[in-house]
Amino acid sequence: MAEAAIMTSDRLWQQVRGEAQRVADADPIFGRALAGTILAHDDFAAALSDLIGRRLGGSEAERARVSAFSLAAFRGSPDLIELASRDLQAIAIHDPAIADLLPPLLHFKGYVALQAWRVSNWLWLHDHRDAALLFQNEASNALQVSIHPAASIGSSVYLDHATGIVIGANVVIGDEVTILQNVSIGRGSELPTRSPRIGRGVYIGGGATILGDISIGDFAKIGADALVTSDVPAGCTAVGNPARLTNCPEPASAA
């Protein structure tokens, strides 16, 4: 799916409903589940709110409360649904094993965890701090993904596999970033205790740790299990513990 083909949330919802209806027609047993999770809803915001509630809530009451908070956020800030749409399409862009949008929507916990974070961030910014932290805690318990509500995350972000991802307060993550499992991004122990800034299009491999007041440049790559505590220039690859730079772009020659 090329960037030019990115759909609005309304178009995405029509595609998801079409996929769900075809699956339901082909598999009546699974179709009964789809009837409640997808086909019963009028729009993407309602379906996504219900999905977040189902994944985070441990009881009917908790599911209803989480869904209500989520729907309030999506109705209050429709741009969140456009971001959710772009995040879902980013999975199809970056994962060659994915051909349709319905499977990652229903089954990829990294996607649900990211949308739960978007709700928690909305709650945090609207001074509902306790509710925001509740979302973080429930996502950590249910999905093994902990993202502080005070972080900042761009669009078209893909949490691939997702188990063990920890993103601290005030971390800044740009658009089109891919993060694999067991990644930690947060403040270091030294002063000042500032958080990393991750540029656009960065790829962060499984088990990597990024700490401190540092910048990861656009389209850089962080290797699996790397420990990064200093800046990584744009386009470079950081590997090892401690990380060293490799494959950096050649500097432009002077005219």
Side-chain angles (χ1 to χ4, degrees), residues 147-181:
I147 309 175
H148 196 280
S152 175
I153 301 178
S155 68
S156 301
V157 171
Y158 181 19
L159 307 185
D160 189 2
H161 298 289
T163 298
I165 290 176
V166 178
I167 298 173
N170 304 316
V171 170
V172 176
I173 295 175
D175 298 339
E176 302 169 22
V177 170
T178 297
I179 303 174
L180 271 70
Q181 69 278 0

PDB file of all heavy atoms in Angstrom, residues 147-181:
ATOM      1  N   ILE A 147       3.124   2.428  27.720  1.00  0.00           N
ATOM      2  CA  ILE A 147       3.489   3.710  27.111  1.00  0.00           C
ATOM      3  C   ILE A 147       2.926   4.815  27.990  1.00  0.00           C
ATOM      4  O   ILE A 147       1.708   4.883  28.207  1.00  0.00           O
ATOM      5  CB  ILE A 147       2.930   3.851  25.682  1.00  0.00           C
ATOM      6  CG1 ILE A 147       3.290   2.628  24.825  1.00  0.00           C
ATOM      7  CG2 ILE A 147       3.466   5.126  25.039  1.00  0.00           C
ATOM      8  CD1 ILE A 147       2.669   2.657  23.438  1.00  0.00           C
ATOM      9  N   HIS A 148       3.779   5.667  28.499  1.00  0.00           N
ATOM     10  CA  HIS A 148       3.310   6.723  29.398  1.00  0.00           C
ATOM     11  C   HIS A 148       2.416   7.700  28.643  1.00  0.00           C
ATOM     12  O   HIS A 148       2.708   8.056  27.488  1.00  0.00           O
ATOM     13  CB  HIS A 148       4.502   7.473  29.993  1.00  0.00           C
ATOM     14  CG  HIS A 148       4.130   8.296  31.185  1.00  0.00           C
ATOM     15  ND1 HIS A 148       3.523   9.540  31.071  1.00  0.00           N
ATOM     16  CD2 HIS A 148       4.253   8.057  32.520  1.00  0.00           C
ATOM     17  CE1 HIS A 148       3.306  10.028  32.276  1.00  0.00           C
ATOM     18  NE2 HIS A 148       3.743   9.144  33.176  1.00  0.00           N
ATOM     19  N   PRO A 149       1.322   8.141  29.273  1.00  0.00           N
ATOM     20  CA  PRO A 149       0.416   9.068  28.591  1.00  0.00           C
ATOM     21  C   PRO A 149       1.064  10.385  28.174  1.00  0.00           C
ATOM     22  O   PRO A 149       0.558  11.066  27.271  1.00  0.00           O
ATOM     23  CB  PRO A 149      -0.689   9.314  29.630  1.00  0.00           C
ATOM     24  CG  PRO A 149      -0.621   8.167  30.561  1.00  0.00           C
ATOM     25  CD  PRO A 149       0.800   7.722  30.586  1.00  0.00           C
ATOM     26  N   ALA A 150       2.173  10.764  28.818  1.00  0.00           N
ATOM     27  CA  ALA A 150       2.836  12.019  28.485  1.00  0.00           C
ATOM     28  C   ALA A 150       3.850  11.884  27.361  1.00  0.00           C
ATOM     29  O   ALA A 150       4.526  12.859  27.019  1.00  0.00           O
ATOM     30  CB  ALA A 150       3.515  12.600  29.730  1.00  0.00           C
ATOM     31  N   ALA A 151       3.976  10.709  26.776  1.00  0.00           N
ATOM     32  CA  ALA A 151       4.812  10.562  25.585  1.00  0.00           C
ATOM     33  C   ALA A 151       4.143  11.262  24.398  1.00  0.00           C
ATOM     34  O   ALA A 151       2.976  11.669  24.466  1.00  0.00           O
ATOM     35  CB  ALA A 151       5.037   9.085  25.282  1.00  0.00           C
ATOM     36  N   SER A 152       4.879  11.403  23.305  1.00  0.00           N
ATOM     37  CA  SER A 152       4.342  11.995  22.078  1.00  0.00           C
ATOM     38  C   SER A 152       4.676  11.054  20.927  1.00  0.00           C
ATOM     39  O   SER A 152       5.851  10.713  20.732  1.00  0.00           O
ATOM     40  CB  SER A 152       4.956  13.374  21.828  1.00  0.00           C
ATOM     41  OG  SER A 152       4.530  13.908  20.594  1.00  0.00           O
ATOM     42  N   ILE A 153       3.661  10.613  20.180  1.00  0.00           N
ATOM     43  CA  ILE A 153       3.855   9.629  19.120  1.00  0.00           C
ATOM     44  C   ILE A 153       3.153  10.115  17.856  1.00  0.00           C
ATOM     45  O   ILE A 153       1.994  10.536  17.906  1.00  0.00           O
ATOM     46  CB  ILE A 153       3.320   8.247  19.529  1.00  0.00           C
ATOM     47  CG1 ILE A 153       4.037   7.758  20.796  1.00  0.00           C
ATOM     48  CG2 ILE A 153       3.495   7.238  18.395  1.00  0.00           C
ATOM     49  CD1 ILE A 153       3.541   6.422  21.322  1.00  0.00           C
ATOM     50  N   GLY A 154       3.844  10.057  16.734  1.00  0.00           N
ATOM     51  CA  GLY A 154       3.308  10.529  15.465  1.00  0.00           C
ATOM     52  C   GLY A 154       2.355   9.534  14.824  1.00  0.00           C
ATOM     53  O   GLY A 154       1.781   8.663  15.475  1.00  0.00           O
ATOM     54  N   SER A 155       2.213   9.656  13.512  1.00  0.00           N
ATOM     55  CA  SER A 155       1.256   8.829  12.771  1.00  0.00           C
ATOM     56  C   SER A 155       1.967   7.712  12.022  1.00  0.00           C
ATOM     57  O   SER A 155       3.190   7.726  11.856  1.00  0.00           O
ATOM     58  CB  SER A 155       0.460   9.694  11.785  1.00  0.00           C
ATOM     59  OG  SER A 155       1.299  10.172  10.749  1.00  0.00           O
ATOM     60  N   SER A 156       1.175   6.736  11.572  1.00  0.00           N
ATOM     61  CA  SER A 156       1.688   5.602  10.790  1.00  0.00           C
ATOM     62  C   SER A 156       2.786   4.862  11.541  1.00  0.00           C
ATOM     63  O   SER A 156       3.803   4.457  10.960  1.00  0.00           O
ATOM     64  CB  SER A 156       2.191   6.073   9.420  1.00  0.00           C
ATOM     65  OG  SER A 156       1.160   6.694   8.686  1.00  0.00           O
ATOM     66  N   VAL A 157       2.571   4.659  12.830  1.00  0.00           N
ATOM     67  CA  VAL A 157       3.533   3.966  13.690  1.00  0.00           C
ATOM     68  C   VAL A 157       3.117   2.502  13.819  1.00  0.00           C
ATOM     69  O   VAL A 157       1.932   2.183  13.931  1.00  0.00           O
ATOM     70  CB  VAL A 157       3.613   4.645  15.065  1.00  0.00           C
ATOM     71  CG1 VAL A 157       4.430   3.823  16.050  1.00  0.00           C
ATOM     72  CG2 VAL A 157       4.191   6.048  14.919  1.00  0.00           C
ATOM     73  N   TYR A 158       4.100   1.606  13.808  1.00  0.00           N
ATOM     74  CA  TYR A 158       3.835   0.165  13.840  1.00  0.00           C
ATOM     75  C   TYR A 158       4.582  -0.452  15.015  1.00  0.00           C
ATOM     76  O   TYR A 158       5.818  -0.443  15.048  1.00  0.00           O
ATOM     77  CB  TYR A 158       4.277  -0.463  12.518  1.00  0.00           C
ATOM     78  CG  TYR A 158       4.058  -1.953  12.377  1.00  0.00           C
ATOM     79  CD1 TYR A 158       3.172  -2.659  13.174  1.00  0.00           C
ATOM     80  CD2 TYR A 158       4.760  -2.659  11.391  1.00  0.00           C
ATOM     81  CE1 TYR A 158       2.980  -4.022  13.011  1.00  0.00           C
ATOM     82  CE2 TYR A 158       4.567  -4.023  11.211  1.00  0.00           C
ATOM     83  CZ  TYR A 158       3.686  -4.698  12.028  1.00  0.00           C
ATOM     84  OH  TYR A 158       3.496  -6.053  11.860  1.00  0.00           O
ATOM     85  N   LEU A 159       3.852  -0.970  15.993  1.00  0.00           N
ATOM     86  CA  LEU A 159       4.434  -1.750  17.091  1.00  0.00           C
ATOM     87  C   LEU A 159       4.336  -3.211  16.703  1.00  0.00           C
ATOM     88  O   LEU A 159       3.290  -3.841  16.839  1.00  0.00           O
ATOM     89  CB  LEU A 159       3.685  -1.477  18.402  1.00  0.00           C
ATOM     90  CG  LEU A 159       3.534  -0.011  18.823  1.00  0.00           C
ATOM     91  CD1 LEU A 159       2.869   0.078  20.200  1.00  0.00           C
ATOM     92  CD2 LEU A 159       4.869   0.722  18.820  1.00  0.00           C
ATOM     93  N   ASP A 160       5.433  -3.766  16.206  1.00  0.00           N
ATOM     94  CA  ASP A 160       5.442  -5.104  15.614  1.00  0.00           C
ATOM     95  C   ASP A 160       5.731  -6.139  16.702  1.00  0.00           C
ATOM     96  O   ASP A 160       6.762  -6.069  17.366  1.00  0.00           O
ATOM     97  CB  ASP A 160       6.508  -5.143  14.516  1.00  0.00           C
ATOM     98  CG  ASP A 160       6.452  -6.401  13.684  1.00  0.00           C
ATOM     99  OD1 ASP A 160       5.564  -7.243  13.918  1.00  0.00           O
ATOM    100  OD2 ASP A 160       7.301  -6.553  12.781  1.00  0.00           O
ATOM    101  N   HIS A 161       4.826  -7.089  16.882  1.00  0.00           N
ATOM    102  CA  HIS A 161       4.874  -8.096  17.947  1.00  0.00           C
ATOM    103  C   HIS A 161       4.559  -7.475  19.308  1.00  0.00           C
ATOM    104  O   HIS A 161       3.733  -8.004  20.034  1.00  0.00           O
ATOM    105  CB  HIS A 161       6.194  -8.864  17.972  1.00  0.00           C
ATOM    106  CG  HIS A 161       6.457  -9.643  16.722  1.00  0.00           C
ATOM    107  ND1 HIS A 161       5.748 -10.780  16.397  1.00  0.00           N
ATOM    108  CD2 HIS A 161       7.339  -9.432  15.705  1.00  0.00           C
ATOM    109  CE1 HIS A 161       6.184 -11.245  15.228  1.00  0.00           C
ATOM    110  NE2 HIS A 161       7.138 -10.446  14.799  1.00  0.00           N
ATOM    111  N   ALA A 162       5.250  -6.418  19.674  1.00  0.00           N
ATOM    112  CA  ALA A 162       4.865  -5.477  20.736  1.00  0.00           C
ATOM    113  C   ALA A 162       5.150  -5.924  22.161  1.00  0.00           C
ATOM    114  O   ALA A 162       5.372  -5.070  23.029  1.00  0.00           O
ATOM    115  CB  ALA A 162       3.377  -5.106  20.624  1.00  0.00           C
ATOM    116  N   THR A 163       5.156  -7.204  22.477  1.00  0.00           N
ATOM    117  CA  THR A 163       5.351  -7.630  23.861  1.00  0.00           C
ATOM    118  C   THR A 163       6.624  -7.016  24.446  1.00  0.00           C
ATOM    119  O   THR A 163       7.692  -7.078  23.848  1.00  0.00           O
ATOM    120  CB  THR A 163       5.443  -9.162  23.937  1.00  0.00           C
ATOM    121  OG1 THR A 163       4.220  -9.726  23.479  1.00  0.00           O
ATOM    122  CG2 THR A 163       5.706  -9.622  25.354  1.00  0.00           C
ATOM    123  N   GLY A 164       6.486  -6.414  25.628  1.00  0.00           N
ATOM    124  CA  GLY A 164       7.648  -5.895  26.332  1.00  0.00           C
ATOM    125  C   GLY A 164       8.071  -4.497  25.947  1.00  0.00           C
ATOM    126  O   GLY A 164       9.100  -4.019  26.436  1.00  0.00           O
ATOM    127  N   ILE A 165       7.308  -3.800  25.116  1.00  0.00           N
ATOM    128  CA  ILE A 165       7.657  -2.424  24.760  1.00  0.00           C
ATOM    129  C   ILE A 165       7.357  -1.507  25.948  1.00  0.00           C
ATOM    130  O   ILE A 165       6.285  -1.549  26.530  1.00  0.00           O
ATOM    131  CB  ILE A 165       6.880  -1.956  23.515  1.00  0.00           C
ATOM    132  CG1 ILE A 165       7.395  -2.688  22.266  1.00  0.00           C
ATOM    133  CG2 ILE A 165       6.999  -0.443  23.332  1.00  0.00           C
ATOM    134  CD1 ILE A 165       6.624  -2.362  21.006  1.00  0.00           C
ATOM    135  N   VAL A 166       8.345  -0.671  26.301  1.00  0.00           N
ATOM    136  CA  VAL A 166       8.192   0.321  27.365  1.00  0.00           C
ATOM    137  C   VAL A 166       8.656   1.665  26.811  1.00  0.00           C
ATOM    138  O   VAL A 166       9.795   1.797  26.359  1.00  0.00           O
ATOM    139  CB  VAL A 166       9.009  -0.050  28.611  1.00  0.00           C
ATOM    140  CG1 VAL A 166       8.867   1.039  29.683  1.00  0.00           C
ATOM    141  CG2 VAL A 166       8.578  -1.406  29.162  1.00  0.00           C
ATOM    142  N   ILE A 167       7.764   2.669  26.864  1.00  0.00           N
ATOM    143  CA  ILE A 167       8.075   4.013  26.377  1.00  0.00           C
ATOM    144  C   ILE A 167       7.740   4.988  27.497  1.00  0.00           C
ATOM    145  O   ILE A 167       6.606   5.031  27.975  1.00  0.00           O
ATOM    146  CB  ILE A 167       7.273   4.349  25.107  1.00  0.00           C
ATOM    147  CG1 ILE A 167       7.642   3.367  23.977  1.00  0.00           C
ATOM    148  CG2 ILE A 167       7.527   5.789  24.669  1.00  0.00           C
ATOM    149  CD1 ILE A 167       6.788   3.512  22.736  1.00  0.00           C
ATOM    150  N   GLY A 168       8.735   5.748  27.934  1.00  0.00           N
ATOM    151  CA  GLY A 168       8.578   6.590  29.107  1.00  0.00           C
ATOM    152  C   GLY A 168       7.955   7.942  28.825  1.00  0.00           C
ATOM    153  O   GLY A 168       7.685   8.321  27.673  1.00  0.00           O
ATOM    154  N   ALA A 169       7.757   8.691  29.914  1.00  0.00           N
ATOM    155  CA  ALA A 169       7.178  10.022  29.818  1.00  0.00           C
ATOM    156  C   ALA A 169       8.084  10.941  29.006  1.00  0.00           C
ATOM    157  O   ALA A 169       9.316  10.872  29.102  1.00  0.00           O
ATOM    158  CB  ALA A 169       6.969  10.600  31.216  1.00  0.00           C
ATOM    159  N   ASN A 170       7.450  11.771  28.175  1.00  0.00           N
ATOM    160  CA  ASN A 170       8.118  12.828  27.402  1.00  0.00           C
ATOM    161  C   ASN A 170       9.014  12.314  26.277  1.00  0.00           C
ATOM    162  O   ASN A 170       9.697  13.113  25.630  1.00  0.00           O
ATOM    163  CB  ASN A 170       8.916  13.759  28.322  1.00  0.00           C
ATOM    164  CG  ASN A 170       8.034  14.365  29.409  1.00  0.00           C
ATOM    165  OD1 ASN A 170       6.930  14.807  29.137  1.00  0.00           O
ATOM    166  ND2 ASN A 170       8.511  14.332  30.645  1.00  0.00           N
ATOM    167  N   VAL A 171       9.012  11.009  26.024  1.00  0.00           N
ATOM    168  CA  VAL A 171       9.637  10.497  24.804  1.00  0.00           C
ATOM    169  C   VAL A 171       8.876  11.050  23.602  1.00  0.00           C
ATOM    170  O   VAL A 171       7.648  11.147  23.625  1.00  0.00           O
ATOM    171  CB  VAL A 171       9.620   8.956  24.787  1.00  0.00           C
ATOM    172  CG1 VAL A 171      10.043   8.412  23.427  1.00  0.00           C
ATOM    173  CG2 VAL A 171      10.518   8.401  25.887  1.00  0.00           C
ATOM    174  N   VAL A 172       9.606  11.419  22.563  1.00  0.00           N
ATOM    175  CA  VAL A 172       8.996  11.923  21.329  1.00  0.00           C
ATOM    176  C   VAL A 172       9.323  10.949  20.202  1.00  0.00           C
ATOM    177  O   VAL A 172      10.501  10.656  19.955  1.00  0.00           O
ATOM    178  CB  VAL A 172       9.507  13.330  20.971  1.00  0.00           C
ATOM    179  CG1 VAL A 172       8.921  13.796  19.636  1.00  0.00           C
ATOM    180  CG2 VAL A 172       9.156  14.313  22.072  1.00  0.00           C
ATOM    181  N   ILE A 173       8.287  10.435  19.542  1.00  0.00           N
ATOM    182  CA  ILE A 173       8.451   9.476  18.452  1.00  0.00           C
ATOM    183  C   ILE A 173       7.783  10.052  17.211  1.00  0.00           C
ATOM    184  O   ILE A 173       6.614  10.445  17.248  1.00  0.00           O
ATOM    185  CB  ILE A 173       7.847   8.114  18.824  1.00  0.00           C
ATOM    186  CG1 ILE A 173       8.631   7.507  19.994  1.00  0.00           C
ATOM    187  CG2 ILE A 173       7.841   7.161  17.622  1.00  0.00           C
ATOM    188  CD1 ILE A 173       8.049   6.220  20.525  1.00  0.00           C
ATOM    189  N   GLY A 174       8.509  10.104  16.103  1.00  0.00           N
ATOM    190  CA  GLY A 174       8.006  10.708  14.878  1.00  0.00           C
ATOM    191  C   GLY A 174       7.114   9.785  14.070  1.00  0.00           C
ATOM    192  O   GLY A 174       6.774   8.676  14.489  1.00  0.00           O
ATOM    193  N   ASP A 175       6.754  10.251  12.887  1.00  0.00           N
ATOM    194  CA  ASP A 175       5.896   9.487  11.989  1.00  0.00           C
ATOM    195  C   ASP A 175       6.644   8.293  11.395  1.00  0.00           C
ATOM    196  O   ASP A 175       7.867   8.319  11.231  1.00  0.00           O
ATOM    197  CB  ASP A 175       5.410  10.363  10.831  1.00  0.00           C
ATOM    198  CG  ASP A 175       4.568  11.544  11.290  1.00  0.00           C
ATOM    199  OD1 ASP A 175       4.022  11.481  12.408  1.00  0.00           O
ATOM    200  OD2 ASP A 175       4.455  12.519  10.522  1.00  0.00           O
ATOM    201  N   GLU A 176       5.877   7.254  11.057  1.00  0.00           N
ATOM    202  CA  GLU A 176       6.360   6.115  10.265  1.00  0.00           C
ATOM    203  C   GLU A 176       7.476   5.333  10.946  1.00  0.00           C
ATOM    204  O   GLU A 176       8.337   4.741  10.296  1.00  0.00           O
ATOM    205  CB  GLU A 176       6.816   6.595   8.878  1.00  0.00           C
ATOM    206  CG  GLU A 176       5.713   7.296   8.096  1.00  0.00           C
ATOM    207  CD  GLU A 176       6.215   8.006   6.864  1.00  0.00           C
ATOM    208  OE1 GLU A 176       7.298   7.640   6.365  1.00  0.00           O
ATOM    209  OE2 GLU A 176       5.540   8.942   6.413  1.00  0.00           O
ATOM    210  N   VAL A 177       7.441   5.301  12.259  1.00  0.00           N
ATOM    211  CA  VAL A 177       8.439   4.556  13.042  1.00  0.00           C
ATOM    212  C   VAL A 177       7.942   3.133  13.267  1.00  0.00           C
ATOM    213  O   VAL A 177       6.755   2.903  13.527  1.00  0.00           O
ATOM    214  CB  VAL A 177       8.705   5.264  14.387  1.00  0.00           C
ATOM    215  CG1 VAL A 177       9.552   4.393  15.311  1.00  0.00           C
ATOM    216  CG2 VAL A 177       9.370   6.611  14.147  1.00  0.00           C
ATOM    217  N   THR A 178       8.858   2.171  13.165  1.00  0.00           N
ATOM    218  CA  THR A 178       8.562   0.773  13.470  1.00  0.00           C
ATOM    219  C   THR A 178       9.350   0.359  14.703  1.00  0.00           C
ATOM    220  O   THR A 178      10.566   0.571  14.772  1.00  0.00           O
ATOM    221  CB  THR A 178       8.927  -0.139  12.287  1.00  0.00           C
ATOM    222  OG1 THR A 178       8.117   0.203  11.160  1.00  0.00           O
ATOM    223  CG2 THR A 178       8.693  -1.605  12.634  1.00  0.00           C
ATOM    224  N   ILE A 179       8.661  -0.221  15.685  1.00  0.00           N
ATOM    225  CA  ILE A 179       9.289  -0.648  16.940  1.00  0.00           C
ATOM    226  C   ILE A 179       8.957  -2.112  17.178  1.00  0.00           C
ATOM    227  O   ILE A 179       7.778  -2.492  17.198  1.00  0.00           O
ATOM    228  CB  ILE A 179       8.788   0.199  18.124  1.00  0.00           C
ATOM    229  CG1 ILE A 179       9.044   1.694  17.871  1.00  0.00           C
ATOM    230  CG2 ILE A 179       9.457  -0.249  19.416  1.00  0.00           C
ATOM    231  CD1 ILE A 179       8.448   2.606  18.929  1.00  0.00           C
ATOM    232  N   LEU A 180       9.970  -2.945  17.350  1.00  0.00           N
ATOM    233  CA  LEU A 180       9.753  -4.357  17.611  1.00  0.00           C
ATOM    234  C   LEU A 180       9.663  -4.631  19.115  1.00  0.00           C
ATOM    235  O   LEU A 180       9.728  -3.724  19.927  1.00  0.00           O
ATOM    236  CB  LEU A 180      10.846  -5.193  16.948  1.00  0.00           C
ATOM    237  CG  LEU A 180      10.527  -5.613  15.501  1.00  0.00           C
ATOM    238  CD1 LEU A 180      10.557  -4.417  14.547  1.00  0.00           C
ATOM    239  CD2 LEU A 180      11.476  -6.692  15.013  1.00  0.00           C
ATOM    240  N   GLN A 181       9.542  -5.898  19.459  1.00  0.00           N
ATOM    241  CA  GLN A 181       9.276  -6.316  20.831  1.00  0.00           C
ATOM    242  C   GLN A 181      10.451  -6.032  21.761  1.00  0.00           C
ATOM    243  O   GLN A 181      11.595  -5.939  21.343  1.00  0.00           O
ATOM    244  CB  GLN A 181       8.939  -7.820  20.875  1.00  0.00           C
ATOM    245  CG  GLN A 181      10.092  -8.745  20.553  1.00  0.00           C
ATOM    246  CD  GLN A 181      10.329  -8.924  19.059  1.00  0.00           C
ATOM    247  OE1 GLN A 181       9.632  -8.351  18.234  1.00  0.00           O
ATOM    248  NE2 GLN A 181      11.316  -9.749  18.736  1.00  0.00           N
TER     249      GLN A 181
END
